[in-house]
Amino acid sequence: MTNLDCTVLTCVYNKDRSCCKDNIKVDGSNAKHTRDTFCTSFKERTDSFQNAADCGCPSKATDIHCQVKDCTFNEQCKCHANHISVAGSTACQCKETECASFRCKCD
Protein backbone atom coordinates (compact mmCIF):
# COMPACT_ATOMS: atom_id res chain seq x y z
CA MET A 1 0.00 0.00 0.00
CA THR A 2 0.99 3.57 -0.64
CA ASN A 3 1.14 6.24 2.07
CA LEU A 4 -1.30 8.98 1.11
CA ASP A 5 -1.42 12.58 2.26
CA CYS A 6 -4.55 14.39 1.13
CA THR A 7 -5.00 18.16 1.18
CA VAL A 8 -8.49 18.01 -0.35
CA LEU A 9 -10.22 19.39 2.73
CA THR A 10 -13.58 19.56 0.94
CA CYS A 11 -13.69 15.78 0.44
CA VAL A 12 -16.03 13.84 2.69
CA TYR A 13 -13.34 11.15 3.16
CA ASN A 14 -10.63 13.58 4.32
CA LYS A 15 -9.93 13.53 8.02
CA ASP A 16 -6.73 14.97 9.47
CA ARG A 17 -5.21 15.10 5.93
CA SER A 18 -5.62 11.35 5.62
CA CYS A 19 -8.26 9.29 3.84
CA CYS A 20 -11.04 7.35 5.55
CA LYS A 21 -11.46 5.19 2.42
CA ASP A 22 -9.19 2.18 2.31
CA ASN A 23 -8.81 2.58 -1.46
CA ILE A 24 -9.04 5.38 -4.00
CA LYS A 25 -8.91 5.65 -7.77
CA VAL A 26 -6.72 8.13 -9.63
CA ASP A 27 -7.59 8.83 -13.25
CA GLY A 28 -6.36 10.91 -16.15
CA SER A 29 -5.39 8.07 -18.43
CA ASN A 30 -3.61 10.27 -20.98
CA ALA A 31 -2.04 12.67 -18.45
CA LYS A 32 1.28 14.29 -19.25
CA HIS A 33 1.15 16.79 -16.35
CA THR A 34 -0.03 16.69 -12.74
CA ARG A 35 -2.98 18.97 -13.59
CA ASP A 36 -4.30 16.26 -15.94
CA THR A 37 -4.80 13.76 -13.09
CA PHE A 38 -7.65 13.58 -10.58
CA CYS A 39 -9.05 11.48 -7.74
CA THR A 40 -12.30 9.91 -8.94
CA SER A 41 -13.07 8.80 -5.38
CA PHE A 42 -13.58 12.44 -4.35
CA LYS A 43 -17.00 13.18 -2.90
CA GLU A 44 -17.73 16.77 -1.92
CA ARG A 45 -18.49 17.44 1.70
CA THR A 46 -21.98 18.97 1.74
CA ASP A 47 -24.74 19.35 4.31
CA SER A 48 -26.05 15.89 3.44
CA PHE A 49 -22.57 14.30 3.52
CA GLN A 50 -21.01 16.01 6.54
CA ASN A 51 -20.61 12.87 8.63
CA ALA A 52 -19.22 10.52 6.01
CA ALA A 53 -15.71 11.41 7.24
CA ASP A 54 -16.66 9.40 10.30
CA CYS A 55 -16.79 6.31 8.08
CA GLY A 56 -13.70 4.99 9.79
CA CYS A 57 -10.32 5.84 11.11
CA PRO A 58 -8.20 7.74 8.62
CA SER A 59 -5.16 5.88 7.41
CA LYS A 60 -2.02 6.90 5.59
CA ALA A 61 -1.72 3.44 4.03
CA THR A 62 -4.15 3.37 1.09
CA ASP A 63 -4.64 1.05 -1.86
CA ILE A 64 -4.51 3.24 -4.97
CA HIS A 65 -5.95 2.08 -8.28
CA CYS A 66 -4.22 4.13 -10.96
CA GLN A 67 -5.52 4.65 -14.48
CA VAL A 68 -2.74 7.11 -15.42
CA LYS A 69 -0.92 5.10 -18.10
CA ASP A 70 2.23 7.23 -18.28
CA CYS A 71 2.92 7.61 -14.54
CA THR A 72 6.21 6.05 -13.48
CA PHE A 73 4.55 4.68 -10.32
CA ASN A 74 1.76 2.86 -12.19
CA GLU A 75 2.32 -0.87 -12.48
CA GLN A 76 -0.65 -2.83 -13.81
CA CYS A 77 -3.11 -0.13 -12.66
CA LYS A 78 -1.77 -0.03 -9.11
CA CYS A 79 0.27 2.79 -7.60
CA HIS A 80 3.61 1.52 -6.35
CA ALA A 81 4.98 4.78 -4.97
CA ASN A 82 5.95 4.72 -1.32
CA HIS A 83 4.16 8.02 -0.75
CA ILE A 84 1.86 10.30 -2.77
CA SER A 85 -0.10 13.46 -2.19
CA VAL A 86 -3.55 14.29 -3.54
CA ALA A 87 -4.10 18.05 -3.81
CA GLY A 88 -7.03 20.39 -4.40
CA SER A 89 -7.90 21.96 -1.07
CA THR A 90 -11.01 23.79 -2.32
CA ALA A 91 -12.26 21.23 -4.84
CA CYS A 92 -15.98 20.97 -5.52
CA GLN A 93 -15.66 18.11 -8.02
CA CYS A 94 -13.13 15.37 -8.71
CA LYS A 95 -11.60 17.15 -11.74
CA GLU A 96 -10.45 19.91 -9.36
CA THR A 97 -8.20 17.45 -7.52
CA GLU A 98 -4.86 16.08 -8.72
CA CYS A 99 -2.23 13.54 -7.87
CA ALA A 100 0.54 15.93 -6.89
CA SER A 101 3.05 13.07 -7.00
CA PHE A 102 2.46 12.20 -10.67
CA ARG A 103 5.70 11.68 -12.61
CA CYS A 104 5.41 11.22 -16.35
CA LYS A 105 7.41 8.41 -17.97
CA CYS A 106 7.97 10.82 -20.85
CA ASP A 107 10.16 13.15 -18.72
Side-chain angles (χ1 to χ4, degrees):
M1 287 194 174
T2 299
N3 284 331
L4 170 67
D5 285 320
C6 182
T7 63
V8 186
L9 304 178
T10 55
C11 182
V12 71
Y13 301 114
N14 186 306
K15 188 171 184 182
D16 300 327
R17 296 187 183 262
S18 293
C19 191
C20 290
K21 278 183 71 62
D22 59 356
N23 63 71
I24 66 166
K25 182 178 177 185
V26 174
D27 209 336
S29 58
N30 296 314
K32 300 296 182 207
H33 305 279
T34 300
R35 67 181 173 269
D36 301 327
T37 65
F38 53 97
C39 178
T40 61
S41 301
F42 169 83
K43 183 178 281 192
E44 184 181 17
R45 189 178 304 229
T46 63
D47 291 338
S48 58
F49 288 111
Q50 276 298 335
N51 295 324
D54 295 328
C55 61
C57 294
S59 175
K60 293 286 183 192
T62 306
D63 189 26
I64 301 171
H65 303 279
C66 182
Q67 300 300 312
V68 186
K69 295 183 292 191
D70 288 329
C71 183
T72 59
F73 301 119
N74 183 345
E75 295 177 22
Q76 298 178 342
C77 296
K78 291 276 194 181
C79 181
H80 287 276
N82 291 328
H83 176 266
I84 72 161
S85 178
V86 174
S89 62
T90 61
C92 295
Q93 55 184 322
C94 70
K95 295 253 179 159
E96 295 174 340
T97 66
E98 63 183 36
C99 178
S101 303
F102 168 77
R103 298 294 174 265
C104 188
K105 292 178 184 176
C106 56
D107 288 345

